[in-house]
């Protein structure tokens, strides 16, 4: 590879083409002037205009945004506290870590069926917004815990020790040293929880009741009954665009804040940035 770097470049281009060509074609035909999804005949915004006039799409979008926002807030608060709690060594910590990360590997079908039985049969939660919220928090929480724990484990303990040596109390050290360093990971976990909730189909399909259809479930249902129509293509393109923009913005902001926080904290406690 060092002697022929062009081979590596070709492999990278082929991999990205395989991953993003279907999405690129989907975005292109969403601006098609005809109803065909197999060939592009001209540029038009009519399918996006029809989406804005579709009351069912707007209701599904409103529910999805409320659900994703609420789920992200709940997951961020609980997940951040859990990550800080798991930072210290105690008996049974490995078991708690296993329990918190288990939803990441459980198949969504199994998770959806188990949550359906729990909400309806055991907890008595009716199908709809609250059942969906319980489900989305249950599978998004693990990702917030993993992201925040990774940041905490990568922190230099000398920074907090230096703050304590300079006379800072526990709360002051947390507010001025620990929290600025952890905040980018908390923001990244919140964005990840929002996107996971916003894009979920399988679990939401089990727990969404009458009048509680999320946008991904609506897209899936329309595509199953009517096939891949231009309206569904436009709606799918919009969802991909929103998810991509949120992810990119979150990564960029988190990276910048992490660098700024690390530099400012090191200046405050007097630790040389080179070592």
């Amino acid at each position: 590879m060092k002697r022929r770097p062009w081979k590596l470049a070709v492999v990278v281009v082929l991999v990205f083409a395989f991953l993003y060509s279907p999405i690129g074609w989907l975005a292109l035909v969403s601006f098609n002037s005809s109803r065909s999804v197999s060939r592009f005949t001209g540029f038009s915004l009519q399918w996006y205009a029809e989406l804005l006039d579709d009351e069912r799409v707007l209701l599904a979008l409103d529910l999805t945004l409320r659900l994703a926002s609420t789920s992200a807030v709940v997951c961020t608060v609980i997940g951040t506290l859990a990550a800080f709690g798991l930072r210290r060594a105690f008996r049974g910590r490995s078991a708690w870590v296993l329990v918190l990360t288990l939803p990441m590997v459980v198949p969504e079908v199994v998770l959806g069926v188990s949550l359906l039985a729990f909400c309806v049969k055991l907890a008595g939660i009716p199908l709809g917004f609250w059942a969906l919220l319980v489900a989305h928090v249950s599978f998004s929480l693990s990702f917030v815990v993993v992201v925040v724990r990774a940041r905490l484990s990568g922190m230099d303990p000398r920074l907090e020790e230096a703050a304590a040596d300079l006379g800072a109390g526990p709360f002051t050290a947390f507010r001025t040293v620990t929290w600025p360093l952890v905040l980018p990971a908390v923001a990244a976990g919140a964005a990840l929880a929002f996107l996971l909730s916003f894009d979920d189909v399988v679990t939401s399909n089990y727990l969404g009741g009458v009048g509680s259809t999320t946008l991904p479930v609506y897209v899936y249902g329309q595509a199953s009954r009517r096939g891949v129509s231009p309206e569904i293509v436009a709606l799918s393109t919009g969802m991909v665009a929103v998810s991509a923009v949120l992810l990119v913005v979150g990564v960029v902001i988190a990276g910048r804040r992490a660098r700024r926080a690390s530099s400012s904290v090191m200046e405050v406690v007097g630790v040389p940035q080179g070592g």
Side-chain angles (χ1 to χ4, degrees):
M1 286 299 179
K2 292 182 179 180
R3 296 180 179 179
R4 296 183 176 87
W6 61 270
K7 290 185 177 181
L8 179 60
V10 170
V11 173
V12 171
V13 170
L14 291 176
V15 170
F16 276 97
F18 174 78
L19 292 175
Y20 293 105
S21 292
I23 300 176
W25 177 252
L26 186 75
L28 179 63
V29 297
S30 68
F31 298 100
N32 199 359
S33 58
S34 67
R35 299 189 63 86
S36 174
V37 294
S38 59
R39 59 189 180 91
F40 188 80
T41 58
F43 183 84
S44 176
L45 295 174
Q46 61 176 326
W47 311 122
Y48 290 93
E50 290 187 8
L51 287 178
L52 297 177
D53 294 332
D54 194 333
E55 184 178 358
R56 295 174 300 176
V57 173
L58 297 179
L59 289 175
L61 176 61
D62 176 69
L63 174 64
T64 304
L65 291 177
R66 289 190 292 112
L67 180 63
S69 301
T70 308
S71 174
V73 171
V74 174
C75 288
T76 302
V77 173
I78 300 177
T80 302
L81 293 176
F84 274 99
L86 293 173
R87 188 185 185 189
R88 305 298 181 184
F90 59 90
R91 180 176 298 180
R93 185 178 66 169
S94 299
W96 281 106
V97 172
L98 178 62
V99 171
L100 284 172
T101 56
L102 189 60
M104 299 177 63
V105 298
V106 173
E108 283 196 71
V109 174
V110 177
L111 186 63
V113 172
S114 60
L115 287 171
L116 176 62
F118 172 80
C119 292
V120 176
K121 300 297 183 181
L122 296 179
I125 303 175
L127 297 179
F129 179 84
W130 294 108
L132 288 169
L133 180 60
V134 171
H136 286 208
V137 169
S138 66
F139 65 72
S140 301
L141 180 62
S142 302
F143 293 89
V144 177
V145 175
V146 169
V147 172
V148 178
R149 279 197 71 215
R151 179 58 178 166
L152 288 173
S153 63
M155 285 177 51
D156 191 345
R158 295 179 300 170
L159 299 176
E160 295 172 299
E161 294 172 359
D165 291 339
L166 292 174
F171 178 76
T172 302
F174 175 83
R175 180 176 56 85
T176 58
V177 177
T178 307
W179 181 246
L181 293 175
V182 177
L183 184 57
V186 175
L192 185 58
F194 181 89
L195 292 176
L196 288 171
S197 176
F198 186 85
D199 296 333
D200 180 71
V201 176
V202 178
T203 307
S204 299
N205 195 30
Y206 280 102
L207 297 169
V210 178
S212 300
T213 302
T214 61
L215 196 60
V217 174
Y218 175 81
V219 172
Y220 175 76
Q222 292 297 312
S224 301
R225 292 192 295 267
R226 300 168 51 190
V228 183
S229 62
E231 296 87 351
I232 297 302
V233 171
L235 184 56
S236 302
T237 302
M239 293 177 60
V240 172
V242 170
S243 301
V245 169
L246 288 177
L247 182 61
V248 171
V249 171
V251 170
V252 171
I253 293 177
R256 290 181 178 178
R257 289 185 66 92
R259 289 191 294 269
R260 291 176 182 176
S262 179
S263 300
S264 61
V265 167
M266 288 183 176
E267 291 176 1
V268 169
V269 301
V271 177
Q273 297 188 26

